mmCIF file with all atom_site columns, all heavy atoms in Angstrom:
data_model
loop_
_atom_site.group_PDB
_atom_site.id
_atom_site.type_symbol
_atom_site.label_atom_id
_atom_site.label_alt_id
_atom_site.label_comp_id
_atom_site.label_asym_id
_atom_site.label_entity_id
_atom_site.label_seq_id
_atom_site.pdbx_PDB_ins_code
_atom_site.Cartn_x
_atom_site.Cartn_y
_atom_site.Cartn_z
_atom_site.occupancy
_atom_site.B_iso_or_equiv
_atom_site.pdbx_formal_charge
_atom_site.auth_seq_id
_atom_site.auth_comp_id
_atom_site.auth_asym_id
_atom_site.auth_atom_id
_atom_site.pdbx_PDB_model_num
ATOM 1   N N   . MET A 1 441 ? -19.729 -16.040 -9.873 1.00 0.00 ? 441 MET A N   1
ATOM 2   C CA  . MET A 1 441 ? -20.658 -15.313 -9.002 1.00 0.00 ? 441 MET A CA  1
ATOM 3   C C   . MET A 1 441 ? -21.271 -14.124 -9.739 1.00 0.00 ? 441 MET A C   1
ATOM 4   O O   . MET A 1 441 ? -22.476 -13.841 -9.605 1.00 0.00 ? 441 MET A O   1
ATOM 5   C CB  . MET A 1 441 ? -19.928 -14.831 -7.744 1.00 0.00 ? 441 MET A CB  1
ATOM 6   C CG  . MET A 1 441 ? -19.504 -15.932 -6.791 1.00 0.00 ? 441 MET A CG  1
ATOM 7   S SD  . MET A 1 441 ? -18.321 -15.333 -5.551 1.00 0.00 ? 441 MET A SD  1
ATOM 8   C CE  . MET A 1 441 ? -19.303 -14.076 -4.739 1.00 0.00 ? 441 MET A CE  1
ATOM 9   N N   . GLN A 1 452 ? -31.374 -6.157  -7.799 1.00 0.00 ? 452 GLN A N   1
ATOM 10  C CA  . GLN A 1 452 ? -31.730 -6.500  -6.427 1.00 0.00 ? 452 GLN A CA  1
ATOM 11  C C   . GLN A 1 452 ? -30.547 -6.252  -5.490 1.00 0.00 ? 452 GLN A C   1
ATOM 12  O O   . GLN A 1 452 ? -29.417 -6.009  -5.918 1.00 0.00 ? 452 GLN A O   1
ATOM 13  C CB  . GLN A 1 452 ? -32.180 -7.960  -6.351 1.00 0.00 ? 452 GLN A CB  1
ATOM 14  C CG  . GLN A 1 452 ? -33.393 -8.282  -7.214 1.00 0.00 ? 452 GLN A CG  1
ATOM 15  C CD  . GLN A 1 452 ? -33.873 -9.696  -7.020 1.00 0.00 ? 452 GLN A CD  1
ATOM 16  O OE1 . GLN A 1 452 ? -33.894 -10.226 -5.891 1.00 0.00 ? 452 GLN A OE1 1
ATOM 17  N NE2 . GLN A 1 452 ? -34.286 -10.351 -8.105 1.00 0.00 ? 452 GLN A NE2 1
ATOM 18  N N   . THR A 1 453 ? -30.789 -6.355  -4.194 1.00 0.00 ? 453 THR A N   1
ATOM 19  C CA  . THR A 1 453 ? -29.761 -6.131  -3.177 1.00 0.00 ? 453 THR A CA  1
ATOM 20  C C   . THR A 1 453 ? -29.128 -7.463  -2.794 1.00 0.00 ? 453 THR A C   1
ATOM 21  O O   . THR A 1 453 ? -29.833 -8.427  -2.446 1.00 0.00 ? 453 THR A O   1
ATOM 22  C CB  . THR A 1 453 ? -30.357 -5.468  -1.929 1.00 0.00 ? 453 THR A CB  1
ATOM 23  O OG1 . THR A 1 453 ? -31.002 -4.249  -2.300 1.00 0.00 ? 453 THR A OG1 1
ATOM 24  C CG2 . THR A 1 453 ? -29.265 -5.167  -0.914 1.00 0.00 ? 453 THR A CG2 1
ATOM 25  N N   . LEU A 1 454 ? -27.776 -7.504  -2.856 1.00 0.00 ? 454 LEU A N   1
ATOM 26  C CA  . LEU A 1 454 ? -27.025 -8.711  -2.506 1.00 0.00 ? 454 LEU A CA  1
ATOM 27  C C   . LEU A 1 454 ? -26.043 -8.399  -1.385 1.00 0.00 ? 454 LEU A C   1
ATOM 28  O O   . LEU A 1 454 ? -25.511 -7.287  -1.289 1.00 0.00 ? 454 LEU A O   1
ATOM 29  C CB  . LEU A 1 454 ? -26.259 -9.244  -3.714 1.00 0.00 ? 454 LEU A CB  1
ATOM 30  C CG  . LEU A 1 454 ? -27.083 -9.760  -4.894 1.00 0.00 ? 454 LEU A CG  1
ATOM 31  C CD1 . LEU A 1 454 ? -26.153 -10.213 -6.019 1.00 0.00 ? 454 LEU A CD1 1
ATOM 32  C CD2 . LEU A 1 454 ? -28.002 -10.895 -4.475 1.00 0.00 ? 454 LEU A CD2 1
ATOM 33  N N   . VAL A 1 455 ? -25.776 -9.425  -0.571 1.00 0.00 ? 455 VAL A N   1
ATOM 34  C CA  . VAL A 1 455 ? -24.757 -9.330  0.476  1.00 0.00 ? 455 VAL A CA  1
ATOM 35  C C   . VAL A 1 455 ? -23.507 -10.039 -0.037 1.00 0.00 ? 455 VAL A C   1
ATOM 36  O O   . VAL A 1 455 ? -23.555 -11.223 -0.388 1.00 0.00 ? 455 VAL A O   1
ATOM 37  C CB  . VAL A 1 455 ? -25.245 -9.984  1.783  1.00 0.00 ? 455 VAL A CB  1
ATOM 38  C CG1 . VAL A 1 455 ? -24.189 -9.834  2.873  1.00 0.00 ? 455 VAL A CG1 1
ATOM 39  C CG2 . VAL A 1 455 ? -26.568 -9.364  2.225  1.00 0.00 ? 455 VAL A CG2 1
ATOM 40  N N   . LEU A 1 456 ? -22.377 -9.313  -0.084 1.00 0.00 ? 456 LEU A N   1
ATOM 41  C CA  . LEU A 1 456 ? -21.136 -9.841  -0.669 1.00 0.00 ? 456 LEU A CA  1
ATOM 42  C C   . LEU A 1 456 ? -19.952 -9.490  0.217  1.00 0.00 ? 456 LEU A C   1
ATOM 43  O O   . LEU A 1 456 ? -20.016 -8.570  1.040  1.00 0.00 ? 456 LEU A O   1
ATOM 44  C CB  . LEU A 1 456 ? -20.898 -9.257  -2.065 1.00 0.00 ? 456 LEU A CB  1
ATOM 45  C CG  . LEU A 1 456 ? -21.984 -9.444  -3.132 1.00 0.00 ? 456 LEU A CG  1
ATOM 46  C CD1 . LEU A 1 456 ? -21.668 -8.576  -4.341 1.00 0.00 ? 456 LEU A CD1 1
ATOM 47  C CD2 . LEU A 1 456 ? -22.076 -10.910 -3.535 1.00 0.00 ? 456 LEU A CD2 1
ATOM 48  N N   . ASN A 1 457 ? -18.841 -10.233 -0.002 1.00 0.00 ? 457 ASN A N   1
ATOM 49  C CA  . ASN A 1 457 ? -17.564 -9.786  0.557  1.00 0.00 ? 457 ASN A CA  1
ATOM 50  C C   . ASN A 1 457 ? -16.532 -9.505  -0.527 1.00 0.00 ? 457 ASN A C   1
ATOM 51  O O   . ASN A 1 457 ? -15.617 -8.721  -0.323 1.00 0.00 ? 457 ASN A O   1
ATOM 52  C CB  . ASN A 1 457 ? -17.004 -10.783 1.577  1.00 0.00 ? 457 ASN A CB  1
ATOM 53  C CG  . ASN A 1 457 ? -16.898 -12.197 1.086  1.00 0.00 ? 457 ASN A CG  1
ATOM 54  O OD1 . ASN A 1 457 ? -17.552 -13.067 1.632  1.00 0.00 ? 457 ASN A OD1 1
ATOM 55  N ND2 . ASN A 1 457 ? -16.095 -12.484 0.064  1.00 0.00 ? 457 ASN A ND2 1
ATOM 56  N N   . ASP A 1 458 ? -16.635 -10.127 -1.695 1.00 0.00 ? 458 ASP A N   1
ATOM 57  C CA  . ASP A 1 458 ? -15.827 -9.771  -2.870 1.00 0.00 ? 458 ASP A CA  1
ATOM 58  C C   . ASP A 1 458 ? -16.743 -9.029  -3.821 1.00 0.00 ? 458 ASP A C   1
ATOM 59  O O   . ASP A 1 458 ? -17.646 -9.622  -4.427 1.00 0.00 ? 458 ASP A O   1
ATOM 60  C CB  . ASP A 1 458 ? -15.246 -11.025 -3.533 1.00 0.00 ? 458 ASP A CB  1
ATOM 61  C CG  . ASP A 1 458 ? -13.979 -11.494 -2.858 1.00 0.00 ? 458 ASP A CG  1
ATOM 62  O OD1 . ASP A 1 458 ? -13.370 -10.690 -2.126 1.00 0.00 ? 458 ASP A OD1 1
ATOM 63  O OD2 . ASP A 1 458 ? -13.588 -12.654 -3.039 1.00 0.00 ? 458 ASP A OD2 1
ATOM 64  N N   . ILE A 1 459 ? -16.502 -7.738  -3.993 1.00 0.00 ? 459 ILE A N   1
ATOM 65  C CA  . ILE A 1 459 ? -17.501 -6.879  -4.642 1.00 0.00 ? 459 ILE A CA  1
ATOM 66  C C   . ILE A 1 459 ? -17.140 -6.481  -6.061 1.00 0.00 ? 459 ILE A C   1
ATOM 67  O O   . ILE A 1 459 ? -17.982 -5.963  -6.787 1.00 0.00 ? 459 ILE A O   1
ATOM 68  C CB  . ILE A 1 459 ? -17.733 -5.603  -3.805 1.00 0.00 ? 459 ILE A CB  1
ATOM 69  C CG1 . ILE A 1 459 ? -16.444 -4.748  -3.751 1.00 0.00 ? 459 ILE A CG1 1
ATOM 70  C CG2 . ILE A 1 459 ? -18.193 -5.970  -2.405 1.00 0.00 ? 459 ILE A CG2 1
ATOM 71  C CD1 . ILE A 1 459 ? -16.630 -3.420  -3.056 1.00 0.00 ? 459 ILE A CD1 1
ATOM 72  N N   . ILE A 1 468 ? -26.422 -4.135  -9.407 1.00 0.00 ? 468 ILE A N   1
ATOM 73  C CA  . ILE A 1 468 ? -27.085 -4.577  -8.182 1.00 0.00 ? 468 ILE A CA  1
ATOM 74  C C   . ILE A 1 468 ? -26.970 -3.489  -7.127 1.00 0.00 ? 468 ILE A C   1
ATOM 75  O O   . ILE A 1 468 ? -26.181 -2.544  -7.260 1.00 0.00 ? 468 ILE A O   1
ATOM 76  C CB  . ILE A 1 468 ? -26.455 -5.878  -7.633 1.00 0.00 ? 468 ILE A CB  1
ATOM 77  C CG1 . ILE A 1 468 ? -24.993 -5.612  -7.269 1.00 0.00 ? 468 ILE A CG1 1
ATOM 78  C CG2 . ILE A 1 468 ? -26.581 -7.018  -8.618 1.00 0.00 ? 468 ILE A CG2 1
ATOM 79  C CD1 . ILE A 1 468 ? -24.370 -6.662  -6.395 1.00 0.00 ? 468 ILE A CD1 1
ATOM 80  N N   . LYS A 1 469 ? -27.758 -3.622  -6.089 1.00 0.00 ? 469 LYS A N   1
ATOM 81  C CA  . LYS A 1 469 ? -27.570 -2.850  -4.867 1.00 0.00 ? 469 LYS A CA  1
ATOM 82  C C   . LYS A 1 469 ? -26.753 -3.713  -3.913 1.00 0.00 ? 469 LYS A C   1
ATOM 83  O O   . LYS A 1 469 ? -26.895 -4.930  -3.900 1.00 0.00 ? 469 LYS A O   1
ATOM 84  C CB  . LYS A 1 469 ? -28.915 -2.471  -4.262 1.00 0.00 ? 469 LYS A CB  1
ATOM 85  C CG  . LYS A 1 469 ? -29.749 -1.570  -5.171 1.00 0.00 ? 469 LYS A CG  1
ATOM 86  C CD  . LYS A 1 469 ? -31.111 -1.292  -4.576 1.00 0.00 ? 469 LYS A CD  1
ATOM 87  C CE  . LYS A 1 469 ? -31.959 -0.449  -5.540 1.00 0.00 ? 469 LYS A CE  1
ATOM 88  N NZ  . LYS A 1 469 ? -33.318 -0.189  -4.993 1.00 0.00 ? 469 LYS A NZ  1
ATOM 89  N N   . LEU A 1 470 ? -25.914 -3.076  -3.111 1.00 0.00 ? 470 LEU A N   1
ATOM 90  C CA  . LEU A 1 470 ? -24.846 -3.824  -2.433 1.00 0.00 ? 470 LEU A CA  1
ATOM 91  C C   . LEU A 1 470 ? -24.846 -3.601  -0.929 1.00 0.00 ? 470 LEU A C   1
ATOM 92  O O   . LEU A 1 470 ? -25.020 -2.479  -0.455 1.00 0.00 ? 470 LEU A O   1
ATOM 93  C CB  . LEU A 1 470 ? -23.486 -3.405  -3.006 1.00 0.00 ? 470 LEU A CB  1
ATOM 94  C CG  . LEU A 1 470 ? -22.239 -3.961  -2.327 1.00 0.00 ? 470 LEU A CG  1
ATOM 95  C CD1 . LEU A 1 470 ? -22.125 -5.465  -2.549 1.00 0.00 ? 470 LEU A CD1 1
ATOM 96  C CD2 . LEU A 1 470 ? -20.991 -3.249  -2.852 1.00 0.00 ? 470 LEU A CD2 1
ATOM 97  N N   . ILE A 1 471 ? -24.617 -4.701  -0.214 1.00 0.00 ? 471 ILE A N   1
ATOM 98  C CA  . ILE A 1 471 ? -24.198 -4.657  1.188  1.00 0.00 ? 471 ILE A CA  1
ATOM 99  C C   . ILE A 1 471 ? -22.876 -5.404  1.274  1.00 0.00 ? 471 ILE A C   1
ATOM 100 O O   . ILE A 1 471 ? -22.824 -6.623  1.070  1.00 0.00 ? 471 ILE A O   1
ATOM 101 C CB  . ILE A 1 471 ? -25.238 -5.303  2.130  1.00 0.00 ? 471 ILE A CB  1
ATOM 102 C CG1 . ILE A 1 471 ? -26.562 -4.537  2.062  1.00 0.00 ? 471 ILE A CG1 1
ATOM 103 C CG2 . ILE A 1 471 ? -24.719 -5.316  3.567  1.00 0.00 ? 471 ILE A CG2 1
ATOM 104 C CD1 . ILE A 1 471 ? -27.664 -5.204  2.863  1.00 0.00 ? 471 ILE A CD1 1
ATOM 105 N N   . ASP A 1 472 ? -21.802 -4.676  1.515  1.00 0.00 ? 472 ASP A N   1
ATOM 106 C CA  . ASP A 1 472 ? -20.461 -5.260  1.575  1.00 0.00 ? 472 ASP A CA  1
ATOM 107 C C   . ASP A 1 472 ? -20.113 -5.522  3.035  1.00 0.00 ? 472 ASP A C   1
ATOM 108 O O   . ASP A 1 472 ? -19.980 -4.590  3.834  1.00 0.00 ? 472 ASP A O   1
ATOM 109 C CB  . ASP A 1 472 ? -19.448 -4.295  0.945  1.00 0.00 ? 472 ASP A CB  1
ATOM 110 C CG  . ASP A 1 472 ? -18.030 -4.816  0.992  1.00 0.00 ? 472 ASP A CG  1
ATOM 111 O OD1 . ASP A 1 472 ? -17.838 -5.994  1.376  1.00 0.00 ? 472 ASP A OD1 1
ATOM 112 O OD2 . ASP A 1 472 ? -17.108 -4.048  0.665  1.00 0.00 ? 472 ASP A OD2 1
ATOM 113 N N   . VAL A 1 473 ? -19.958 -6.804  3.404  1.00 0.00 ? 473 VAL A N   1
ATOM 114 C CA  . VAL A 1 473 ? -19.724 -7.149  4.808  1.00 0.00 ? 473 VAL A CA  1
ATOM 115 C C   . VAL A 1 473 ? -18.348 -6.708  5.283  1.00 0.00 ? 473 VAL A C   1
ATOM 116 O O   . VAL A 1 473 ? -18.095 -6.645  6.493  1.00 0.00 ? 473 VAL A O   1
ATOM 117 C CB  . VAL A 1 473 ? -19.896 -8.671  5.025  1.00 0.00 ? 473 VAL A CB  1
ATOM 118 C CG1 . VAL A 1 473 ? -21.312 -9.103  4.702  1.00 0.00 ? 473 VAL A CG1 1
ATOM 119 C CG2 . VAL A 1 473 ? -18.881 -9.471  4.221  1.00 0.00 ? 473 VAL A CG2 1
ATOM 120 N N   . LEU A 1 493 ? -25.207 -6.377  11.676 1.00 0.00 ? 493 LEU A N   1
ATOM 121 C CA  . LEU A 1 493 ? -25.211 -6.806  10.275 1.00 0.00 ? 493 LEU A CA  1
ATOM 122 C C   . LEU A 1 493 ? -26.610 -7.275  9.863  1.00 0.00 ? 493 LEU A C   1
ATOM 123 O O   . LEU A 1 493 ? -27.098 -6.923  8.778  1.00 0.00 ? 493 LEU A O   1
ATOM 124 C CB  . LEU A 1 493 ? -24.189 -7.930  10.071 1.00 0.00 ? 493 LEU A CB  1
ATOM 125 C CG  . LEU A 1 493 ? -24.150 -8.582  8.693  1.00 0.00 ? 493 LEU A CG  1
ATOM 126 C CD1 . LEU A 1 493 ? -23.776 -7.567  7.623  1.00 0.00 ? 493 LEU A CD1 1
ATOM 127 C CD2 . LEU A 1 493 ? -23.185 -9.765  8.670  1.00 0.00 ? 493 LEU A CD2 1
ATOM 128 N N   . ILE A 1 496 ? -28.885 -4.288  9.194  1.00 0.00 ? 496 ILE A N   1
ATOM 129 C CA  . ILE A 1 496 ? -28.633 -3.612  7.921  1.00 0.00 ? 496 ILE A CA  1
ATOM 130 C C   . ILE A 1 496 ? -29.201 -4.423  6.767  1.00 0.00 ? 496 ILE A C   1
ATOM 131 O O   . ILE A 1 496 ? -29.829 -3.878  5.845  1.00 0.00 ? 496 ILE A O   1
ATOM 132 C CB  . ILE A 1 496 ? -27.119 -3.369  7.742  1.00 0.00 ? 496 ILE A CB  1
ATOM 133 C CG1 . ILE A 1 496 ? -26.615 -2.344  8.746  1.00 0.00 ? 496 ILE A CG1 1
ATOM 134 C CG2 . ILE A 1 496 ? -26.809 -2.908  6.316  1.00 0.00 ? 496 ILE A CG2 1
ATOM 135 C CD1 . ILE A 1 496 ? -25.120 -2.138  8.720  1.00 0.00 ? 496 ILE A CD1 1
ATOM 136 N N   . VAL A 1 497 ? -28.996 -5.731  6.787  1.00 0.00 ? 497 VAL A N   1
ATOM 137 C CA  . VAL A 1 497 ? -29.507 -6.602  5.727  1.00 0.00 ? 497 VAL A CA  1
ATOM 138 C C   . VAL A 1 497 ? -31.031 -6.523  5.670  1.00 0.00 ? 497 VAL A C   1
ATOM 139 O O   . VAL A 1 497 ? -31.629 -6.437  4.578  1.00 0.00 ? 497 VAL A O   1
ATOM 140 C CB  . VAL A 1 497 ? -29.041 -8.056  5.957  1.00 0.00 ? 497 VAL A CB  1
ATOM 141 C CG1 . VAL A 1 497 ? -29.737 -9.004  4.994  1.00 0.00 ? 497 VAL A CG1 1
ATOM 142 C CG2 . VAL A 1 497 ? -27.529 -8.159  5.804  1.00 0.00 ? 497 VAL A CG2 1
ATOM 143 N N   . ALA A 1 502 ? -32.192 -7.131  1.489  1.00 0.00 ? 502 ALA A N   1
ATOM 144 C CA  . ALA A 1 502 ? -31.380 -8.139  0.794  1.00 0.00 ? 502 ALA A CA  1
ATOM 145 C C   . ALA A 1 502 ? -31.923 -9.531  1.093  1.00 0.00 ? 502 ALA A C   1
ATOM 146 O O   . ALA A 1 502 ? -32.157 -9.881  2.257  1.00 0.00 ? 502 ALA A O   1
ATOM 147 C CB  . ALA A 1 502 ? -29.921 -8.037  1.220  1.00 0.00 ? 502 ALA A CB  1
ATOM 148 N N   . ASN A 1 503 ? -32.091 -10.350 0.080  1.00 0.00 ? 503 ASN A N   1
ATOM 149 C CA  . ASN A 1 503 ? -32.625 -11.702 0.242  1.00 0.00 ? 503 ASN A CA  1
ATOM 150 C C   . ASN A 1 503 ? -31.571 -12.791 0.070  1.00 0.00 ? 503 ASN A C   1
ATOM 151 O O   . ASN A 1 503 ? -31.812 -13.941 0.456  1.00 0.00 ? 503 ASN A O   1
ATOM 152 C CB  . ASN A 1 503 ? -33.760 -11.957 -0.758 1.00 0.00 ? 503 ASN A CB  1
ATOM 153 C CG  . ASN A 1 503 ? -34.970 -11.089 -0.485 1.00 0.00 ? 503 ASN A CG  1
ATOM 154 O OD1 . ASN A 1 503 ? -35.319 -10.835 0.675  1.00 0.00 ? 503 ASN A OD1 1
ATOM 155 N ND2 . ASN A 1 503 ? -35.622 -10.624 -1.545 1.00 0.00 ? 503 ASN A ND2 1
ATOM 156 N N   . VAL A 1 504 ? -30.419 -12.447 -0.533 1.00 0.00 ? 504 VAL A N   1
ATOM 157 C CA  . VAL A 1 504 ? -29.390 -13.453 -0.833 1.00 0.00 ? 504 VAL A CA  1
ATOM 158 C C   . VAL A 1 504 ? -28.025 -12.920 -0.399 1.00 0.00 ? 504 VAL A C   1
ATOM 159 O O   . VAL A 1 504 ? -27.710 -11.730 -0.596 1.00 0.00 ? 504 VAL A O   1
ATOM 160 C CB  . VAL A 1 504 ? -29.367 -13.787 -2.343 1.00 0.00 ? 504 VAL A CB  1
ATOM 161 C CG1 . VAL A 1 504 ? -28.200 -14.711 -2.681 1.00 0.00 ? 504 VAL A CG1 1
ATOM 162 C CG2 . VAL A 1 504 ? -30.672 -14.438 -2.762 1.00 0.00 ? 504 VAL A CG2 1
ATOM 163 N N   . ALA A 1 505 ? -27.224 -13.817 0.175  1.00 0.00 ? 505 ALA A N   1
ATOM 164 C CA  . ALA A 1 505 ? -25.839 -13.498 0.543  1.00 0.00 ? 505 ALA A CA  1
ATOM 165 C C   . ALA A 1 505 ? -24.910 -14.509 -0.105 1.00 0.00 ? 505 ALA A C   1
ATOM 166 O O   . ALA A 1 505 ? -25.158 -15.716 -0.040 1.00 0.00 ? 505 ALA A O   1
ATOM 167 C CB  . ALA A 1 505 ? -25.664 -13.507 2.057  1.00 0.00 ? 505 ALA A CB  1
ATOM 168 N N   . MET A 1 506 ? -23.831 -14.007 -0.743 1.00 0.00 ? 506 MET A N   1
ATOM 169 C CA  . MET A 1 506 ? -22.774 -14.865 -1.315 1.00 0.00 ? 506 MET A CA  1
ATOM 170 C C   . MET A 1 506 ? -21.473 -14.460 -0.634 1.00 0.00 ? 506 MET A C   1
ATOM 171 O O   . MET A 1 506 ? -20.851 -13.453 -1.007 1.00 0.00 ? 506 MET A O   1
ATOM 172 C CB  . MET A 1 506 ? -22.685 -14.674 -2.829 1.00 0.00 ? 506 MET A CB  1
ATOM 173 C CG  . MET A 1 506 ? -23.956 -15.034 -3.575 1.00 0.00 ? 506 MET A CG  1
ATOM 174 S SD  . MET A 1 506 ? -23.782 -14.971 -5.388 1.00 0.00 ? 506 MET A SD  1
ATOM 175 C CE  . MET A 1 506 ? -23.662 -13.204 -5.661 1.00 0.00 ? 506 MET A CE  1
ATOM 176 N N   . VAL A 1 507 ? -21.053 -15.211 0.373  1.00 0.00 ? 507 VAL A N   1
ATOM 177 C CA  . VAL A 1 507 ? -19.976 -14.759 1.252  1.00 0.00 ? 507 VAL A CA  1
ATOM 178 C C   . VAL A 1 507 ? -19.098 -15.926 1.686  1.00 0.00 ? 507 VAL A C   1
ATOM 179 O O   . VAL A 1 507 ? -19.457 -17.101 1.538  1.00 0.00 ? 507 VAL A O   1
ATOM 180 C CB  . VAL A 1 507 ? -20.559 -14.069 2.510  1.00 0.00 ? 507 VAL A CB  1
ATOM 181 C CG1 . VAL A 1 507 ? -21.268 -12.771 2.159  1.00 0.00 ? 507 VAL A CG1 1
ATOM 182 C CG2 . VAL A 1 507 ? -21.511 -15.007 3.247  1.00 0.00 ? 507 VAL A CG2 1
ATOM 183 N N   . LEU A 1 512 ? -17.449 -13.318 8.209  1.00 0.00 ? 512 LEU A N   1
ATOM 184 C CA  . LEU A 1 512 ? -18.585 -12.713 8.894  1.00 0.00 ? 512 LEU A CA  1
ATOM 185 C C   . LEU A 1 512 ? -18.320 -12.681 10.402 1.00 0.00 ? 512 LEU A C   1
ATOM 186 O O   . LEU A 1 512 ? -17.584 -13.526 10.936 1.00 0.00 ? 512 LEU A O   1
ATOM 187 C CB  . LEU A 1 512 ? -19.860 -13.523 8.628  1.00 0.00 ? 512 LEU A CB  1
ATOM 188 C CG  . LEU A 1 512 ? -20.357 -13.606 7.186  1.00 0.00 ? 512 LEU A CG  1
ATOM 189 C CD1 . LEU A 1 512 ? -21.527 -14.591 7.099  1.00 0.00 ? 512 LEU A CD1 1
ATOM 190 C CD2 . LEU A 1 512 ? -20.770 -12.241 6.667  1.00 0.00 ? 512 LEU A CD2 1
ATOM 191 N N   . TRP A 1 519 ? -30.651 -16.696 8.698  1.00 0.00 ? 519 TRP A N   1
ATOM 192 C CA  . TRP A 1 519 ? -30.088 -17.074 7.404  1.00 0.00 ? 519 TRP A CA  1
ATOM 193 C C   . TRP A 1 519 ? -30.123 -18.589 7.236  1.00 0.00 ? 519 TRP A C   1
ATOM 194 O O   . TRP A 1 519 ? -29.858 -19.347 8.167  1.00 0.00 ? 519 TRP A O   1
ATOM 195 C CB  . TRP A 1 519 ? -28.665 -16.579 7.278  1.00 0.00 ? 519 TRP A CB  1
ATOM 196 C CG  . TRP A 1 519 ? -28.548 -15.070 7.137  1.00 0.00 ? 519 TRP A CG  1
ATOM 197 C CD1 . TRP A 1 519 ? -29.473 -14.139 7.445  1.00 0.00 ? 519 TRP A CD1 1
ATOM 198 C CD2 . TRP A 1 519 ? -27.397 -14.364 6.664  1.00 0.00 ? 519 TRP A CD2 1
ATOM 199 N NE1 . TRP A 1 519 ? -29.003 -12.871 7.202  1.00 0.00 ? 519 TRP A NE1 1
ATOM 200 C CE2 . TRP A 1 519 ? -27.718 -12.975 6.714  1.00 0.00 ? 519 TRP A CE2 1
ATOM 201 C CE3 . TRP A 1 519 ? -26.151 -14.742 6.208  1.00 0.00 ? 519 TRP A CE3 1
ATOM 202 C CZ2 . TRP A 1 519 ? -26.815 -12.000 6.327  1.00 0.00 ? 519 TRP A CZ2 1
ATOM 203 C CZ3 . TRP A 1 519 ? -25.243 -13.760 5.828  1.00 0.00 ? 519 TRP A CZ3 1
ATOM 204 C CH2 . TRP A 1 519 ? -25.578 -12.401 5.872  1.00 0.00 ? 519 TRP A CH2 1
ATOM 205 N N   . VAL A 1 540 ? -20.244 -19.463 0.168  1.00 0.00 ? 540 VAL A N   1
ATOM 206 C CA  . VAL A 1 540 ? -21.497 -20.060 0.613  1.00 0.00 ? 540 VAL A CA  1
ATOM 207 C C   . VAL A 1 540 ? -22.657 -19.143 0.244  1.00 0.00 ? 540 VAL A C   1
ATOM 208 O O   . VAL A 1 540 ? -22.564 -17.916 0.367  1.00 0.00 ? 540 VAL A O   1
ATOM 209 C CB  . VAL A 1 540 ? -21.472 -20.303 2.139  1.00 0.00 ? 540 VAL A CB  1
ATOM 210 C CG1 . VAL A 1 540 ? -22.798 -20.899 2.612  1.00 0.00 ? 540 VAL A CG1 1
ATOM 211 C CG2 . VAL A 1 540 ? -20.320 -21.236 2.509  1.00 0.00 ? 540 VAL A CG2 1
ATOM 212 N N   . PHE A 1 542 ? -26.403 -18.016 1.062  1.00 0.00 ? 542 PHE A N   1
ATOM 213 C CA  . PHE A 1 542 ? -27.402 -17.994 2.119  1.00 0.00 ? 542 PHE A CA  1
ATOM 214 C C   . PHE A 1 542 ? -28.664 -17.298 1.617  1.00 0.00 ? 542 PHE A C   1
ATOM 215 O O   . PHE A 1 542 ? -28.597 -16.293 0.908  1.00 0.00 ? 542 PHE A O   1
ATOM 216 C CB  . PHE A 1 542 ? -26.897 -17.226 3.345  1.00 0.00 ? 542 PHE A CB  1
ATOM 217 C CG  . PHE A 1 542 ? -25.788 -17.900 4.086  1.00 0.00 ? 542 PHE A CG  1
ATOM 218 C CD1 . PHE A 1 542 ? -24.465 -17.530 3.865  1.00 0.00 ? 542 PHE A CD1 1
ATOM 219 C CD2 . PHE A 1 542 ? -26.058 -18.887 5.022  1.00 0.00 ? 542 PHE A CD2 1
ATOM 220 C CE1 . PHE A 1 542 ? -23.434 -18.127 4.567  1.00 0.00 ? 542 PHE A CE1 1
ATOM 221 C CE2 . PHE A 1 542 ? -25.031 -19.488 5.726  1.00 0.00 ? 542 PHE A CE2 1
ATOM 222 C CZ  . PHE A 1 542 ? -23.707 -19.119 5.500  1.00 0.00 ? 542 PHE A CZ  1
ATOM 223 N N   . THR A 1 544 ? -31.395 -15.047 3.139  1.00 0.00 ? 544 THR A N   1
ATOM 224 C CA  . THR A 1 544 ? -31.507 -14.262 4.372  1.00 0.00 ? 544 THR A CA  1
ATOM 225 C C   . THR A 1 544 ? -32.917 -14.275 4.936  1.00 0.00 ? 544 THR A C   1
ATOM 226 O O   . THR A 1 544 ? -33.133 -13.839 6.073  1.00 0.00 ? 544 THR A O   1
ATOM 227 C CB  . THR A 1 544 ? -31.059 -12.809 4.125  1.00 0.00 ? 544 THR A CB  1
ATOM 228 O OG1 . THR A 1 544 ? -31.939 -12.216 3.160  1.00 0.00 ? 544 THR A OG1 1
ATOM 229 C CG2 . THR A 1 544 ? -29.633 -12.770 3.603  1.00 0.00 ? 544 THR A CG2 1
#
Side-chain angles (χ1 to χ4, degrees):
M441 291 166 61
Q452 300 185 40
T453 304
L454 295 178
V455 182
L456 303 169
N457 53 243
D458 277 342
I459 64 175
I468 62 164
K469 297 176 183 179
L470 174 68
I471 298 174
D472 179 8
V473 298
L493 175 62
I496 292 175
V497 171
N503 294 322
V504 174
M506 299 186 289
V507 294
L512 297 173
W519 290 18
V540 179
F542 291 98
T544 63

